[in-house]
Amino acid sequence: MKIKSLSEASHLERRLGIGVNHSHISELLKQDTNIILSYFIPNNYSYVTNPKIAPLEHAIKIFGATKNARKIFSKQKNIDRHFLVNWWLERIHHTLYPLEERMTLFWHNHFTSSLKKISWSQLMYRQNELFRQYALGSFSDLLHSIYKDPAMLIFLDGSKNKLRTPNENFARELLELFTLGEGNYTENDVVSASRAFTGWEYNHKAMRVVFHDNWHDNGTKHFMGQTGRFDGEGIINILLQQPRTAEFITEKFWHHFVSSSKPEKKYIDYWSTLFRDSNYHIPVLLNSIIQSEPFWADENRGTLIKSPIELTMGLLRELKLDHFNAYQRLNTINKQMGQHLFYPPDVKGWRGGKKWISNETFVFRNDFVTKMEKEHSLNIYENDFISRMDDVDEIADWLLAIPANNKQIDKKELLLSLLQDPAYQLR
Amino acid sequence: MNRRDFLKTLSIPAVFSLCSPHNLAYGENTVTTTAPVSTKVVKQNKLVLIELKGGNDGLNTLIPFNNQHYYNNRPKIAIKKQEVLPLDKHVGLHPSLAKLLPIWKDKQMGWIQGVGYEDSNRSHFRAIEIWDTTSVEEEAEYTGWVSQLLKNKIKGIAINTSLGPLYNAELSSLRINTPQELARLGKDIASTKTKANHASLAHILKVQNSVNQLAHSLLKKLPNVPKPKKAFPKGKFGKELETIYTLIASGLDVPAYKVSLSGFDTHVNQLPGHASRLSQLANGLAVFRENLQHIGVWDSTLVMSYSEFGRRLKENAGRGTDHGSAAPHFVMGGKVKGGLYGKYPSLRNLDKRGDLIYTVDFRDVYATVADKWWGQKDKFGKSMSFL
């Protein structure tokens, strides 16, 4: 199908990107949906930035240091945490390929780890780059990498899972939250999987991941109906063979990209099969989704609630507030709204959907759009495309996922009243 | 226009309806108040839920200090016998709970032993949903057990934490951080009458309206709240208990409150973290009680703890414990019949996973609240005698 209207283009951009870039949607117009995903996938794009955090070699000097030196290193750790979050916010703000950052955040919320437990920004940075590397790549590759990721090894006690003293934390969340979902495995499968993953350690002093043969349980395990001396790789291979794994991920994509409604089985079956057959290539799944009827259906427009990042960073990008750089303040605002990057609330991640809107967060969200419009009106209204628009419909088509809820009383304050409209909270 | 004029232009009926008779919950100690703004505190039975997040280790909280199996299974992390605060000759409290002893001595604290259920779930998320709703079947849209019992316009308020048992699809329970912040920021949010045939938009509009209502009623009542007699402990938990105190003292007609304390998922190095959490719990609740007594509402307040599961009898290799099953929980309040309830689970006869077998179904605890606190019989299970 062809993208027939600006409103269709902005629907696509709102769902795949972060905020609706007005010039981008003009490009999308009249394109065919079967090639349109390429507009969102980086190709020869080099956006290299580094968070200003202390290198790991410096940070690990905390071990064995004197008490005063340790105090200094602790302070540095705190500073590093702020820099790390600010770094990611800045990337989300300025990237030309927001789908890549969207997917990076998606995986951060799927394979959760939190800076609260990890405390080493260098490791969370490394995990973040891992997510970025596979954001639009293969979920299979990502799964094969994540169990050996240092931050993950710490977060879910992989480093403590040893032959004589197994720790079930990682194996349980692997099955429950990362691949199959609850009810699709037995407690014995959890135990077998934990045994298979024994032996891995992130060694702080050596600054690397080590596999200890003598920590590894090489015995026979029974897992998902198969028997063998499985190690971690073996378990992951079995998990990837299960249709349920592809379905589980596909269902998550439904809730992230299509609608807050219950996923329709025939689409999940179809998309998950294509996904699994492509060796879990993420663009294949995305492509299936954006070519589908449910994605474009009227009843699914604007049915998703913007996450704090989508709301705040979306607004900055949409209104082209390119010079805004108060990332510390932005982080506080996102925290108040319930999304502190690198600090998911628990291993299940940010729940999303209606959970973003409580009495508390609703007030902060409303406050944010109002403050931004008032504080940055000079910059906003300087933008060509905004100053040229005085047609309510044109602005609403660009900015809102569904028709405005409130009647515009004040034509002068048109943009503000649309930003304050409940419809602006949706995508 | 100034604030007073602004308030005059608002739809005031919302405030009146919060106090009208048919919105009061069932209960014995209800008093109808006709004036919406009142320094007289509405004496209606209130429930304050304390969620211990992560799965509290009951064995190190209410300790079977004369049972050798306890020490055999926990060579590194058992609490030393001489440090335990005995409640009778079988069980005693973790030393960090010292501040709760006066409440026990006043017979206003009950410990319900072995609370759990058949085939208990060990996933944090599934388990807490079961405790929140009493439903062991996974449901798409659930209603918290507390919400199921109430008909008030605002059923419950959660402070800085999930609604859990207070949750309902009609959004008549609210989550706030501090009352002052909500009132201040919320006064600019208009109420809306638009309907929405669209689930997410409908949700937003509902929230918008409830913010509007709550903000306005708080704006009116907050200036009249008496300052707490004893200062609440510093820190998050103390501050949140103070918020509940403020809301109760303001005369707000809300029967249920929830607050949570995290850090109970003690897989590794349990002793210091657990002691610190229990300390915060006891210190906060002791001050909470004192302040509620001072404004005369302790008799109509019931504080109750809960958690997604207990922890295993046998310690793990990391000086910690993994997810288990049954655990004891406490209730306290002016009308609580202090003492021990239920039976301490056997440390010898364990289930096939090596976990404690429950002796009290958690639904019977809820049934007691429903029946004796809010006058609704035969809800959830069998009523117990701690009230």
Side-chain angles (χ1 to χ4, degrees):
Chain A
M1 65 166 258
K2 288 217 185 300
I3 307 268
K4 298 184 288 293
S5 64
L6 276 180
S7 131
E8 283 185 353
S10 63
H11 167 67
L12 182 66
E13 170 95 341
R14 198 174 292 109
R15 288 283 169 94
L16 294 185
I18 294 174
V20 180
N21 180 309
H22 193 264
S23 46
H24 203 223
I25 55 176
S26 316
E27 274 176 53
L28 294 177
L29 197 55
K30 303 230 179 62
Q31 301 299 331
D32 201 308
T33 54
N34 57 16
I35 50 112
I36 204 115
L37 191 61
S38 58
Y39 277 75
F40 294 89
I41 297 186
N43 184 16
N44 282 329
Y45 177 55
S46 175
Y47 180 24
V48 178
T49 59
N50 288 305
K52 296 184 187 62
I53 59 182
L56 202 53
E57 301 75 29
H58 177 83
I60 64 154
K61 284 186 189 157
I62 198 168
F63 295 111
T66 63
K67 188 173 178 188
N68 279 330
R70 283 210 301 279
K71 266 198 184 143
I72 296 172
F73 285 122
S74 265
K75 274 210 175 99
Q76 182 62 45
K77 261 176 141 186
N78 276 327
I79 295 170
D80 284 347
R81 286 191 275 259
H82 288 296
F83 277 137
L84 184 64
V85 181
N86 293 353
W87 163 79
W88 198 4
L89 288 171
E90 187 172 1
R91 270 199 82 93
I92 296 173
H93 186 190
H94 292 296
T95 180
L96 292 178
Y97 291 97
L99 178 60
E100 184 183 61
E101 292 309 314
R102 171 180 287 282
M103 291 314 300
T104 305
L105 180 51
F106 181 93
W107 296 120
H108 171 46
N109 197 35
H110 181 80
F111 294 111
T112 46
S113 300
S114 171
L115 246 186
K116 189 163 181 200
K117 182 167 176 180
I118 309 300
S119 91
W120 299 89
S121 304
Q122 296 79 3
L123 300 182
M124 287 300 280
Y125 169 53
R126 179 169 157 169
Q127 190 188 75
N128 192 265
E129 289 287 29
L130 180 72
F131 294 144
R132 190 166 289 101
Q133 180 184 358
Y134 293 113
L136 294 165
S138 158
F139 172 76
S140 162
D141 290 345
L142 179 50
L143 192 58
H144 279 291
S145 308
I146 195 65
Y147 77 92
K148 293 182 273 192
D149 170 74
M152 180 59 76
L153 280 171
I154 297 174
F155 190 64
L156 291 181
D157 302 325
S159 288
K160 297 203 162 76
N161 182 23
K162 304 177 192 175
L163 170 57
R164 267 178 264 288
T165 57
N167 181 305
E168 292 173 8
N169 208 354
F170 176 74
R172 181 177 299 283
E173 310 305 2
L174 175 69
L175 303 189
E176 183 181 337
L177 300 175
F178 301 163
T179 57
L180 301 170
E182 239 232 321
N184 294 297
Y185 53 89
T186 65
E187 282 293 308
N188 284 330
D189 289 329
V190 174
V191 175
S192 298
S194 344
R195 290 173 55 211
F197 281 102
T198 46
W200 292 96
E201 185 211 7
Y202 173 69
N203 189 303
H204 278 288
K205 291 199 183 144
M207 296 185 295
R208 61 194 179 86
V209 175
V210 183
F211 180 75
H212 301 272
D213 276 314
N214 57 334
W215 289 10
H216 177 65
D217 180 335
N218 193 31
T220 306
K221 298 110 183 159
H222 304 286
F223 181 70
M224 305 289 296
Q226 298 187 40
T227 302
R229 294 182 184 278
F230 304 121
D231 60 1
E233 288 289 312
I235 298 294
I236 287 179
N237 286 331
I238 296 175
L239 287 171
L240 289 169
Q241 283 163 19
Q242 312 298 313
R244 182 60 211 151
T245 299
E247 284 164 18
F248 185 69
I249 303 298
T250 304
E251 282 162 3
K252 270 194 135 176
F253 271 57
W254 174 282
H255 286 297
H256 189 90
F257 288 102
V258 181
S259 172
S260 52
S261 66
K262 196 163 140 69
E264 286 179 57
K265 188 171 186 312
K266 70 172 187 204
Y267 289 105
I268 300 298
D269 285 345
Y270 180 49
W271 299 344
S272 64
T273 308
L274 289 174
F275 185 40
R276 204 168 93 252
D277 289 347
S278 70
N279 192 30
Y280 292 90
H281 193 54
I282 291 155
V284 165
L285 179 54
L286 285 173
N287 213 26
S288 313
I289 292 172
I290 64 176
Q291 307 270 8
S292 74
E293 215 189 288
F295 181 77
W296 294 99
D298 270 333
E299 68 259 19
N300 288 331
R301 300 285 178 98
T303 52
L304 301 173
I305 292 181
K306 287 180 184 169
S307 66
I309 292 289
E310 284 164 343
L311 179 67
T312 56
M313 309 312 290
L315 184 144
L316 289 184
R317 290 172 63 95
E318 285 176 335
L319 302 184
K320 287 199 170 307
L321 295 176
D322 297 333
H323 297 293
F324 183 93
N325 62 0
Y327 295 112
Q328 190 87 341
R329 182 177 159 213
L330 254 186
N331 185 37
T332 303
I333 291 170
N334 279 302
K335 253 169 93 169
Q336 285 173 328
M337 294 182 189
Q339 193 172 27
H340 188 183
L341 290 180
F342 293 111
Y343 291 86
D346 55 40
V347 64
K348 209 170 183 181
W350 293 289
R351 306 299 190 274
K354 288 182 185 174
K355 297 270 161 53
W356 288 128
I357 311 267
S358 68
N359 304 80
E360 212 183 330
T361 61
F362 179 81
V363 167
F364 288 127
R365 291 166 75 112
N366 201 273
D367 201 50
F368 171 75
V369 302
T370 308
K371 276 214 180 100
M372 292 306 281
E373 196 276 348
K374 291 215 180 319
E375 285 174 19
H376 299 276
S377 43
L378 269 180
N379 287 330
I380 295 174
Y381 294 103
E382 231 169 46
N383 284 308
D384 260 349
F385 72 98
I386 293 186
S387 53
R388 272 187 282 116
M389 290 195 275
D390 49 15
D391 182 341
V392 182
D393 289 336
E394 196 188 340
I395 304 187
D397 269 351
W398 156 53
L399 218 42
L400 303 181
I402 56 171
N405 191 61
N406 303 334
K407 292 199 179 56
Q408 276 73 55
I409 337 147
D410 198 337
K411 274 220 119 149
K412 267 189 290 161
E413 302 259 9
L414 183 57
L415 185 63
L416 177 61
S417 67
L418 288 177
L419 290 174
Q420 287 177 328
D421 196 284
Y424 188 69
Q425 302 288 331
L426 300 167
R427 65 181 189 104
Chain B
M1 71 174 72
N2 64 29
R3 201 182 81 169
R4 197 174 297 134
D5 293 328
F6 178 60
L7 285 176
K8 278 203 194 121
T9 66
L10 300 169
S11 50
I12 301 298
V15 177
F16 280 86
S17 68
L18 282 175
C19 301
S20 64
H22 59 263
N23 279 336
L24 289 175
Y26 303 115
E28 297 196 43
N29 301 326
T30 52
V31 169
T32 309
T33 180
T34 48
V37 180
S38 155
T39 49
K40 179 174 71 179
V41 176
V42 176
K43 278 192 159 90
Q44 177 199 354
N45 283 345
K46 301 210 182 341
L47 174 68
V48 177
L49 287 166
I50 317 272
E51 182 193 0
L52 307 176
K53 282 174 91 88
N56 178 41
D57 181 31
L59 280 155
N60 272 17
T61 304
L62 185 71
I63 301 158
F65 62 89
N66 265 326
N67 191 322
Q68 196 49 42
H69 292 289
Y70 170 68
Y71 298 100
N72 291 345
N73 279 286
R74 296 183 164 206
K76 296 209 176 82
I77 69 166
I79 305 298
K80 296 188 175 46
K81 188 165 169 174
Q82 59 267 37
E83 290 175 8
V84 173
L85 309 170
L87 298 186
D88 72 0
K89 56 183 165 87
H90 300 292
V91 293
L93 294 181
H94 187 291
S96 295
L97 295 176
K99 288 258 162 68
L100 297 182
L101 271 185
I103 311 178
W104 171 263
K105 294 206 169 88
D106 283 349
K107 297 205 182 327
Q108 294 184 336
M109 172 173 225
W111 276 93
I112 309 165
Q113 304 169 94
V115 187
Y117 56 102
E118 186 96 38
D119 259 341
S120 61
N121 192 292
R122 284 171 187 77
S123 144
H124 287 295
F125 312 103
R126 258 320 278 148
I128 202 62
E129 272 172 18
I130 293 171
W131 278 81
D132 285 345
T133 62
T134 73
S135 169
V136 282
E137 299 300 321
E138 193 155 354
E139 300 179 26
E141 188 72 70
Y142 70 87
T143 308
W145 70 271
V146 170
S147 246
Q148 293 176 34
L149 299 171
L150 301 171
K151 291 196 166 22
N152 299 60
K153 192 142 191 155
I154 299 181
K155 297 183 169 49
I157 300 184
I159 315 300
N160 242 345
T161 182
S162 62
L163 291 174
L166 311 180
Y167 180 82
N168 57 78
E170 301 81 51
L171 299 183
S172 51
S173 289
L174 315 169
R175 175 188 165 141
I176 68 171
N177 183 1
T178 69
Q180 292 80 359
E181 192 174 69
L182 178 63
R184 188 176 54 84
L185 288 173
K187 66 183 168 66
D188 294 324
I189 290 170
S191 76
T192 169
K193 283 210 161 45
T194 332
K195 277 195 196 298
N197 47 1
H198 191 284
S200 295
L201 178 60
H203 176 78
I204 294 177
L205 295 178
K206 258 192 211 158
V207 172
Q208 184 169 330
N209 276 331
S210 75
V211 168
N212 173 266
Q213 282 180 18
L214 186 64
H216 289 118
S217 60
L218 282 177
L219 266 178
K220 289 196 153 210
K221 290 176 192 260
L222 280 182
N224 298 323
V225 172
K227 271 213 149 346
K229 173 173 179 233
K230 180 144 187 200
F232 280 90
K234 285 193 178 22
K236 185 171 181 285
F237 189 60
K239 195 162 172 207
E240 289 166 0
L241 285 177
E242 182 165 2
T243 294
I244 298 181
Y245 161 83
T246 304
L247 294 170
I248 294 178
S250 74
L252 216 54
D253 182 30
V254 174
Y257 295 91
K258 181 192 175 221
V259 70
S260 65
L261 197 47
S262 344
F264 288 94
D265 192 22
T266 49
H267 285 282
V268 178
N269 197 22
Q270 172 168 316
L271 290 177
H274 194 223
S276 146
R277 291 301 179 283
L278 292 179
S279 217
Q280 278 177 53
L281 181 66
N283 295 349
L285 290 179
V287 174
F288 187 60
R289 174 199 187 219
E290 202 178 318
N291 285 316
L292 291 184
Q293 280 176 319
H294 184 65
I295 56 172
V297 297
W298 183 236
D299 277 3
S300 55
T301 305
L302 176 67
V303 179
M304 188 169 113
S305 74
Y306 73 101
S307 195
E308 57 261 57
F309 35 67
R311 302 188 86 81
R312 283 176 162 298
L313 170 60
K314 196 167 151 72
E315 67 186 31
N316 67 24
R319 291 173 180 270
T321 49
D322 295 319
H323 303 177
S325 55
H329 283 290
F330 63 83
V331 285
M332 54 169 103
K335 285 272 166 29
V336 164
K337 299 188 169 75
L340 295 171
Y341 294 88
K343 220 163 73 84
Y344 210 96
S346 166
L347 301 197
R348 231 173 356 110
N349 300 327
L350 305 168
D351 73 11
K352 51 183 154 57
R353 259 187 67 107
D355 288 329
L356 305 180
I357 300 179
Y358 75 103
T359 59
V360 173
D361 190 305
F362 75 107
R363 285 162 287 216
D364 289 347
V365 179
Y366 294 175
T368 317
V369 176
D371 176 20
K372 309 241 173 106
W373 205 234
W374 285 327
Q376 292 177 60
K377 296 199 181 314
D378 302 319
K379 288 272 187 192
F380 307 125
K382 249 178 45 154
S383 196
M384 297 172 70
S385 50
F386 58 81
L387 275 175

